[in-house]
Amino acid sequence: MKTIIKFIFCIFFIVPVVFAENNINDKNQDAYDLYKELRCLVCQNQSLLESNAPLALDLRKVVLDKLEEGYTKEDVKTFLVERYGEFILLKPKYSVQNILLWFGPIFFLLIGVFVTFIFLRKQSMNKEEGISLSKEEADNLKKILDNNVP
Amino acid sequence: MIIELGHFFLALALSISIFQFLLPALGVKFNSYGMMRSASIAAFISFILVFLSFLSLVYAYITSDFSVSLVAKNSHSLKPLIYKISGVWGNHEGSLLLWVLILTFYSAAVAILGRRLPLKLISLVLSCQGLIAAAFISFILFTSNPFIRLFFPNIEGEGFNPILQDFGLAIHPPFLYLGYVGLSVTFSFSIAALLIGKVDTIWVKWVRPWTLIAWVFLTVGIALGSWWAYRELGWGGWWFWDPVENASFMPWLAATALLHSSIVAEKRDTLKAWTILLAIIAFSFSLLGTFIVRSGVLISVHSFASDPSRGLYILLLLIFFTGGGLALFAKKAPYLKSGSLFKPLSREGALVINNIIFASAAATVLLGTLYPIFIDAINNSKVSVGPPYFEAVFIPLMVPAILLCAFSPMLSWKRAVIENIIERIIAVFICALFLASLIIIMNDGSASAFLGLFLGFWLICGTLYEFFIKVGIKSSFKIFIQRALNLPRSAYGMSVAHIGVAIFIIGVTVSSAWRIDIEKPIILGEKTIVKDMEITFKSIKRVAGPNWNADRGEFEIITSNRDKHFLYPERRFYPASQVNTSEPAIMSGIFSDLYIVLGESNDNADSYALRIYYSPFISWIWFGILLMAIGGVLSLSDRKHRLGYDLKRV
Amino acid sequence: MKKLYPYSPLIVFFILILFFARQLILKEDPSELPSVLLEERFPEIILKKLDGYKLFSVTNLMNANSPSLVNIWSSWCVPCKIEHEFLMRMSSDHNILIYGINYKDKKEDALKVLDLNDNPFYAIGVDLDGLQSINLGVYGVPETFIIDSDGNIRYRHVGPILEYDMQNIILPILGKIMREKI
C-alpha cells in the first residue's frame, strides 16, 4: 500500500516535466488571445476573433498596431477601455466592483457544503436522541411487558 | 375559416384548462371522486383542442395564407415545405403555441400513464398542469395571438432570414421545448406532494422517468442547436455562452442534478425535500429561459424580436409559478419526514456532492448571465461577461464532478469502505495518466490539454472498470454473458451516459488544443498546406439558388493517402432581404473536421479573404452528447417496465 | 431563525425579480453604449483636410465662445441622410456650430454629398481609416458629440438626430450648457 502511494507521488513530479506549456511569446499569439477577450461592439455577442464587422476589423488593426508599438496585453486592454468602457472586455476586470462575480462560484460551493454539513449533523442528532415515548405510550408498554411476564 | 376555427379551439382550450385546474383541486378539498376524476378528461380534451389549433396554424403556413399576419411576416411562398412548417415555430407567437401543445400533450400522457396513481396525487398534478396551461394560453390569446388576420392580405410574405433555413435549426426548438416543458411535470408533482404533505415511494418512483424524458430531450435539443451554430455561423465555434444558450443550459444542469438526487430519493428515501426544491427550480429555469429569450433584457444573437410588454407578462408568470412554488416549499417542506441516514463517504454522499457541484454550476451560469443587469442597476455602469469568464469558472467547477463520477458507482450505499476500492481508484488513475501522457508527448500538448485528456480517460477507464467488475470479469465467459444480459438497463444507461460525457470531454479538449486556424488572402491556384492535406483554390463561379446569388469557390483537398475531396464554400447574397452571408464548407470526419470560409474579395477581385479551420476530434463533441442521450433512453426503457409492474401490484 | 432557512430560495428569487422588473421598466436598449469620455476633454485627434472646406481640428473646440456639436458621418450611411435635415435646422435656425468628421469614406463621395445638399458643417475633418474616431469611442455612424465651450464632451448621441432627439435631448442640453456660463 505504501509503495503504491510513493509511486503515485513520483509520477506527480515526473509528469510536469514531460510536457511543456506552449509559451510562444509571439505577437500573433498575444493578438489572438486579445481578440478572444474583446467584444465586437456592433455585433450581438461575438468577440473580435469571430466577427467580420468593419469595426471589428478596425479594432483588430488597432490591437496589432499597439502590440507592435510595444504595448503589453494589459496596456492594450487599458487603451481600449479608456475609449469604450469596460463593456468591451469579455472577461470582466478583477476589480472590487466585480468581486461578486469572481467569488460567486466558490461562494455557491461553500453554501452547498455548509447546508449539507448542517443536514448531516441534524440527521445524526436525530438518530442519537432516539424517539421518546409519551407517558400514555410508556404506560401501555409497561402493561404489555407486565402481561407477558409468565 | 380554418384559422378562425383554430383560434376558437384555443379559446375553448383555455376554458377547459381552467376547469382542469379548478375541479380536481376542489375535488381534493371536498373529497369528491367525480370532481377528481374529471381531471384526466379535461387533460385529454384540452390536448386535442390545442392540437387542432396548432394544425390550423400549420395549414396556414403550408398554404402560404398571407392573410394571416403571422404567416405574412414570417413566411414566403418560395420557402421549401419543410421550412414553411418549421417556420410555424420560428417566431414568438407560433413557438408559444408549440409550447402549449407540448404541455397539454404531457398532461394527457400523465393522465393516461398515471391512472393507477393515488387519486389525490394525480388530481393535484393535473390541476397544476391545468393552471400552467391556462396561464400560457391566456398569454398567447391576450398578447401574442398567432391567429390575427391582416385586413389587406399581403401578396407575398416577408419572412426570409436565410440563416434560419437549416434543418438543425428547424428541429431544435421542438426538442428543446419537449425538454423545458417536460420539467413542468416534475414541477407539478412537487407541488402536489407539498400540498398533500407527504412524499412516498410512489411519488419518487414517478419523478425519475419524467425527469429522464425531459433531460434526454433537453440534451438533444441543446446539441442540435450547438451543431447548427457550428455548421452555419462561420467561425468554427460551437458554444458562445450567449444568454439564450445559457438559458437552455441552466435547466439542463438543474435537470442533471435532479436526475441524480432522485436516485437517492428512490433508493434510500432521503433527500426528498431537496429533490422537490430542485424540481421547482428546474422548471423555474425553463420559465426564466422563456423570459430571457423574449423580453429583450439581454443582448443575444438568438432572441426573438423583443418586446418589454411581453417580458412583463412572462415576469408575472415567473413570479406566480416560481414564487408560488418556492413559497409553498418554504411553508411545507419542514414537515416532510426525513428518511434514512447515510455517512458522508457513501454512494449517497457522492451523489450529494454531485448535486452541490451541479447546483453551483447552474447558479454560476445564472450569475454570469445576469451580472450585467446587476451592475447596471447598482453602479450604473456597463459590464459584459463573455466566454472568457465562463470558461475560467465553469471548467474548474466541473473537474471534481468528473473525478468523482468515475468511481462513485463503486461506492456502496449508506456507508462505503474506502479500502475496498482504493486499489481500483489507483489502477484507473495510473491508466488515465499513462494514456493522457502518451498522447501529450506524441502530439506536443499543453497543461490544459493534459488535464482534459486525463479527465476524459479517467472517466472512461473508471466507468468501464466498474462495469466489468459488476458483470464479473473474473468469472467464466458464460457467467459473464449471463450477468451482462441480466444487468438492469439503468445500469447500462448510466455507464453509456458517463462514457458519453468522457468522449465529449476528449472531443472538447482535442478540438481546442490542437486546432489550426489559418487566415490569409488567397488567389486562384494557390495551394495551402494544413496538417497532411493539400488544399488548392481551384476556381470561383457565380451560381444562383432559389432565392440567392453566390460566389462559389471550389477547393480541392488531397489527403495523405491521395484521396481527393472537394469543398464549395460560398458567399451568398439574398436580394429579398439584402443580406450577405458566408456559407462555410465543412468536411467532417470521425477524427477531424476541415472548415473553409470564403470571405470578401479585394477590389480587383483577384484575391479572396480565406479562413481555414482544422478541428481534430470535433465530431466527438456531438457523438459524446448523443451517447449521453442514448444512455438516458436506455435507463428510461428500464424504468418503464418496473413502473407498470409495481403499480399493478399496488 | 431556523424557520427562515426554507425561505431563502424564495428571498433570493424575489431579489432577482426586482432586478428584472427594473430592467423591463427602464426599456433600455441593452446594446447601446454610453460614452466613457463624458466630462473629459475632447481627445487630440488628427484629421485630414477636405478640399474646399475648412479643416476641423480639436483647437476649434478649445476656448470657444459657445458649445458645439461634432457629428460623425459618411456618404454611405443611410441614417446620416435622414439626419441631414435636422443638422441643417440646428445649424441655420438655431445658429449652432456643427463640426463634421467624415468617417471611413472616399473623399470624392463625401464631396459629392456636400455638393448636392446644403452643408451644415462649419468645418470638416476626414478620418479615412476610422482609426482616429476610435479615440472618441465611436462604434457606428452617425454619432454626435455635444462639446461645451471649454472643449469637454458633455454628451454622445448614438444614431441619427431626429425631430424628437433634437427637441428633447440635443437642444435642451445645449441650453443647459449655455446657461452655465452665465
Side-chain angles (χ1 to χ4, degrees):
Chain A
M1 181 61 180
K2 274 201 178 161
T3 27
I4 297 179
I5 296 185
K6 279 191 211 156
F7 180 55
I8 296 178
F9 262 105
C10 291
I11 299 212
F12 259 119
F13 288 114
I14 296 176
V15 164
V17 178
V18 160
F19 56 81
E21 180 73 76
N22 285 347
N23 240 335
I24 313 169
N25 242 337
D26 188 24
K27 290 269 169 7
N28 279 327
Q29 181 64 35
D30 280 351
Y32 189 82
D33 293 339
L34 278 174
Y35 296 159
K36 278 206 285 191
E37 281 190 38
L38 294 169
R39 178 186 276 271
C40 163
L41 298 164
V42 291
C43 322
Q44 306 269 63
N45 248 0
Q46 282 176 261
S47 72
L48 289 188
L49 182 66
E50 299 137 8
S51 168
N52 283 322
L55 181 67
L57 297 174
D58 290 345
L59 287 174
R60 288 195 349 215
K61 186 161 189 304
V62 169
V63 167
L64 274 176
D65 288 345
K66 292 301 174 197
L67 286 174
E68 287 290 312
E69 284 173 31
Y71 279 49
T72 65
K73 278 161 71 173
E74 280 309 310
D75 291 338
V76 176
K77 283 202 263 187
T78 311
F79 177 83
L80 287 172
V81 168
E82 277 171 5
R83 285 146 181 79
Y84 290 100
E86 280 187 40
F87 190 70
I88 200 173
L89 296 174
L90 281 174
K91 184 177 187 180
K93 266 189 357 191
Y94 300 127
S95 63
V96 176
Q97 176 186 261
N98 295 333
I99 213 171
L100 269 175
L101 186 67
W102 288 105
F103 279 102
I106 302 182
F107 178 62
F108 296 136
L109 273 180
L110 288 176
I111 293 185
V113 171
F114 178 68
V115 167
T116 311
F117 189 61
I118 301 225
F119 172 72
L120 286 175
R121 257 218 330 198
K122 212 172 71 150
Q123 262 200 3
S124 57
M125 277 202 308
N126 280 344
K127 186 170 186 195
E128 279 159 19
E129 279 167 14
I131 308 169
S132 49
L133 302 169
S134 69
K135 181 143 197 340
E136 200 182 300
E137 290 168 342
D139 288 339
N140 276 342
L141 183 61
K142 191 167 187 302
K143 246 194 258 170
I144 298 171
L145 286 176
D146 289 339
N147 283 344
N148 277 345
V149 169
Chain B
M1 184 58 201
I2 302 229
I3 279 289
E4 276 67 35
L5 264 183
H7 197 172
F8 176 63
F9 285 147
L10 193 61
L12 215 54
L14 175 59
S15 334
I16 304 285
S17 296
I18 296 179
F19 276 123
Q20 184 181 330
F21 158 59
L22 277 177
L23 284 182
L26 291 174
V28 168
K29 193 164 164 70
F30 298 122
N31 239 317
S32 155
Y33 180 80
M35 275 181 156
M36 289 194 267
R37 268 278 160 236
S38 69
S40 359
I41 306 172
F44 286 135
I45 298 181
S46 62
F47 167 60
I48 295 190
L49 287 171
V50 175
F51 181 65
L52 290 174
S53 177
F54 187 77
L55 269 185
S56 75
L57 192 61
V58 174
Y59 179 77
Y61 266 84
I62 294 182
T63 56
S64 289
D65 182 353
F66 295 125
S67 68
V68 179
S69 167
L70 195 70
V71 183
K73 257 197 277 186
N74 294 297
S75 191
H76 198 279
S77 51
L78 289 180
K79 262 194 190 177
L81 181 65
I82 187 177
Y83 296 127
K84 279 186 185 160
I85 298 180
S86 68
V88 173
W89 55 76
N91 56 78
H92 168 74
E93 296 86 344
S95 65
L96 276 180
L97 192 57
L98 179 66
W99 220 97
V100 171
L101 174 67
I102 294 178
L103 181 68
T104 50
F105 173 68
Y106 271 116
S107 302
V110 169
I112 300 183
L113 293 169
R115 61 190 178 282
R116 278 191 243 269
L117 277 177
L119 190 56
K120 266 197 176 178
L121 179 62
I122 192 72
S123 306
L124 286 174
V125 170
L126 289 175
S127 166
C128 188
Q129 291 283 104
L131 185 59
I132 301 175
F136 272 87
I137 296 179
S138 34
F139 179 37
I140 295 178
L141 285 175
F142 299 133
T143 74
S144 321
N145 197 328
F147 300 113
I148 297 180
R149 293 268 193 193
L150 283 177
F151 213 5
F152 296 109
N154 280 9
I155 298 178
E156 181 57 89
E158 303 159 25
F160 225 22
N161 191 344
I163 299 186
L164 299 179
Q165 287 176 33
D166 174 272
F167 183 68
L169 187 65
I171 61 170
H172 111 105
F175 273 97
L176 270 185
Y177 291 179
L178 280 162
Y180 283 147
V181 181
L183 291 174
S184 74
V185 174
T186 41
F187 175 81
S188 299
F189 265 95
S190 298
I191 300 295
L194 287 173
L195 286 172
I196 292 182
K198 67 180 172 79
V199 180
D200 53 20
T201 40
I202 301 255
W203 186 91
V204 187
K205 273 198 154 44
W206 264 71
V207 173
R208 183 113 180 269
W210 291 99
T211 312
L212 261 175
I213 294 174
W215 181 88
V216 168
F217 281 123
L218 258 186
T219 306
V220 175
I222 295 176
L224 280 172
S226 159
W227 186 60
W228 165 76
Y230 170 70
R231 283 185 16 252
E232 270 301 306
L233 294 180
W235 51 79
W238 52 273
W239 189 257
F240 310 96
W241 295 103
D242 178 90
V244 168
E245 291 175 333
N246 295 345
S248 65
F249 194 44
M250 287 186 274
W252 185 89
L253 288 168
T256 307
L258 185 58
L259 218 55
H260 290 84
S261 94
S262 58
I263 297 176
V264 181
E266 187 185 341
K267 275 255 160 51
R268 303 289 299 155
D269 198 41
T270 181
L271 288 191
K272 290 178 289 195
W274 169 246
T275 303
I276 288 183
L277 182 62
L278 256 187
I280 296 177
I281 292 180
F283 183 59
S284 306
F285 275 137
S286 293
L287 293 176
L288 183 66
T290 312
F291 175 73
I292 290 180
V293 173
R294 295 163 203 269
S295 65
V297 158
L298 290 165
I299 313 177
S300 160
V301 252
H302 299 79
S303 17
F304 290 117
S306 62
D307 187 346
S309 59
R310 286 174 182 163
L312 202 58
Y313 203 107
I314 303 181
L315 193 66
L316 289 173
L317 285 175
L318 249 182
I319 294 177
F320 183 68
F321 287 109
T322 304
L326 289 177
L328 189 61
F329 174 80
K331 201 155 170 272
K332 297 288 219 119
Y335 299 105
L336 293 173
K337 273 200 287 187
S338 48
S340 49
L341 313 168
F342 56 89
K343 281 251 182 280
L345 184 63
S346 60
R347 183 89 67 95
E348 294 97 316
L351 288 170
V352 166
I353 297 181
N354 159 295
N355 264 228
I356 295 177
I357 293 177
F358 273 88
S360 303
T364 301
V365 174
L366 184 66
L367 178 65
T369 308
L370 298 183
Y371 200 71
I373 298 183
F374 297 153
I375 288 295
D376 194 25
I378 297 177
N379 238 351
N380 216 2
S381 68
K382 295 243 181 233
V383 161
S384 83
V385 180
Y389 168 77
F390 288 104
E391 285 165 15
V393 152
F394 187 77
I395 295 174
L397 212 49
M398 283 288 121
V399 167
I402 307 293
L403 287 174
L404 199 56
C405 183
F407 67 85
S408 59
M410 299 184 203
L411 293 168
S412 32
W413 291 100
K414 196 170 171 83
R415 194 175 67 107
V417 181
I418 195 73
E419 281 79 27
N420 292 345
I421 55 172
I422 203 147
E423 281 180 0
R424 303 178 194 170
I425 297 179
I426 294 178
V428 170
F429 179 81
I430 295 180
C431 191
L433 204 62
F434 172 70
L435 287 169
S437 309
L438 197 65
I439 297 190
I440 293 289
I441 299 175
M442 280 173 25
N443 291 291
D444 191 25
S446 64
S448 48
F450 176 77
L451 182 65
L453 284 176
F454 173 76
L455 285 174
F457 285 125
W458 164 266
L459 192 50
I460 292 184
C461 295
T463 309
L464 286 176
Y465 193 1
E466 189 267 338
F467 177 77
F468 284 121
I469 287 181
K470 225 180 358 215
V471 178
I473 195 171
K474 294 193 182 144
S475 358
S476 72
F477 188 65
K478 196 170 165 209
I479 297 185
F480 175 78
I481 293 291
Q482 202 175 28
R483 282 168 72 164
L485 288 174
N486 281 337
L487 208 57
R489 298 232 194 114
S490 55
Y492 277 104
M494 175 193 79
S495 304
V496 169
H498 286 176
I499 291 183
V501 175
I503 292 190
F504 169 80
I505 294 175
I506 293 180
V508 172
T509 307
V510 175
S511 66
S512 58
W514 283 285
R515 173 192 167 98
I516 300 178
D517 193 344
I518 298 178
E519 185 184 350
K520 63 178 208 175
I522 194 167
I523 57 176
L524 271 174
E526 189 177 330
K527 207 190 287 190
T528 318
I529 305 230
V530 175
K531 272 278 173 164
D532 52 353
M533 294 180 283
E534 281 175 18
I535 303 170
T536 317
F537 183 15
K538 280 264 173 174
S539 70
I540 187 129
K541 265 195 282 236
R542 260 266 123 160
V543 290
N547 48 331
W548 46 264
N549 299 316
D551 287 330
R552 176 183 291 176
E554 181 186 359
F555 286 82
E556 175 197 72
I557 299 141
I558 305 182
T559 57
S560 53
N561 45 345
R562 298 276 115 198
D563 276 336
K564 259 198 210 173
H565 299 269
F566 288 93
L567 281 178
Y568 300 97
E570 293 171 3
R571 268 198 76 75
R572 284 189 192 169
F573 178 68
Y574 290 81
S577 45
Q578 296 277 312
V579 167
N580 260 321
T581 65
S582 206
E583 295 292 312
I586 312 179
M587 186 173 89
S588 280
I590 304 180
F591 294 111
S592 68
D593 272 22
L594 188 66
Y595 193 104
I596 301 186
V597 183
L598 195 63
E600 284 179 2
S601 58
N602 69 1
D603 288 329
N604 305 334
D606 53 5
S607 87
Y608 287 81
L610 185 74
R611 270 179 131 158
I612 301 182
Y613 303 110
Y614 170 80
S615 311
F617 279 64
I618 199 166
S619 305
W620 285 41
I621 294 179
W622 294 291
F623 183 53
I625 301 182
L626 188 66
L627 264 186
M628 283 162 59
I630 291 178
V633 173
L634 270 174
S635 272
L636 203 58
S637 62
D638 174 2
R639 293 275 121 207
K640 273 235 148 76
H641 273 144
R642 287 213 234 142
L643 202 63
Y645 182 61
D646 272 349
L647 279 180
K648 286 206 187 81
R649 289 174 113 207
V650 166
Chain C
M1 186 54 194
K2 270 235 171 94
K3 282 232 159 167
L4 281 183
Y5 280 139
Y7 282 93
S8 39
L10 188 63
I11 297 174
V12 170
F13 173 68
F14 265 122
I15 298 177
L16 278 182
I17 293 291
L18 287 175
F19 281 105
F20 286 137
R22 174 186 179 271
Q23 208 64 18
L24 280 179
I25 294 171
L26 281 185
K27 290 199 185 176
E28 275 170 8
D29 179 359
S31 62
E32 202 178 281
L33 275 181
S35 169
V36 285
L37 300 173
L38 292 183
E39 311 296 327
E40 280 179 31
R41 264 279 166 84
F42 196 89
E44 293 285 338
I45 60 175
I46 304 186
L47 301 165
K48 296 200 164 53
K49 189 175 188 311
L50 190 61
D51 299 323
Y53 294 90
K54 268 210 196 101
L55 172 63
F56 164 57
S57 76
V58 181
T59 45
N60 289 101
L61 302 171
M62 308 297 164
N63 297 319
N65 289 327
S66 63
S68 49
L69 297 179
V70 176
N71 175 262
I72 324 280
W73 66 281
S74 317
S75 64
W76 45 262
C77 150
V78 175
C80 302
K81 296 184 170 59
I82 304 176
E83 171 182 62
H84 182 264
E85 169 198 339
F86 301 98
L87 290 179
M88 283 310 302
R89 276 168 56 185
M90 287 194 284
S91 159
S92 40
D93 300 346
H94 298 268
N95 280 324
I96 298 172
L97 225 51
I98 309 183
Y99 299 101
I101 297 183
N102 183 246
Y103 177 81
K104 290 186 80 169
D105 212 348
K106 293 210 183 88
K107 281 193 179 172
E108 316 91 73
D109 297 334
L111 286 169
K112 222 185 283 182
V113 167
L114 292 167
D115 284 339
L116 289 174
N117 306 299
D118 300 321
N119 176 22
F121 304 119
Y122 181 74
I124 302 178
V126 173
D127 183 4
L128 282 175
D129 53 12
L131 295 182
Q132 292 299 313
S133 304
I134 286 184
N135 287 318
L136 299 173
V138 167
Y139 64 100
V141 262
E143 283 183 24
T144 308
F145 290 86
I146 300 183
I147 320 291
D148 66 18
S149 39
D150 296 319
N152 298 319
I153 298 178
R154 301 297 288 268
Y155 181 72
R156 191 250 308 258
H157 186 83
V158 173
I161 298 177
L162 304 174
E163 180 75 51
Y164 178 85
D165 310 302
M166 192 174 80
Q167 301 292 358
N168 295 297
I169 305 176
I170 308 292
L171 293 177
I173 295 181
L174 284 168
K176 192 171 84 124
I177 298 175
M178 287 197 280
R179 281 193 294 277
E180 284 168 8
K181 271 273 165 171
I182 298 171

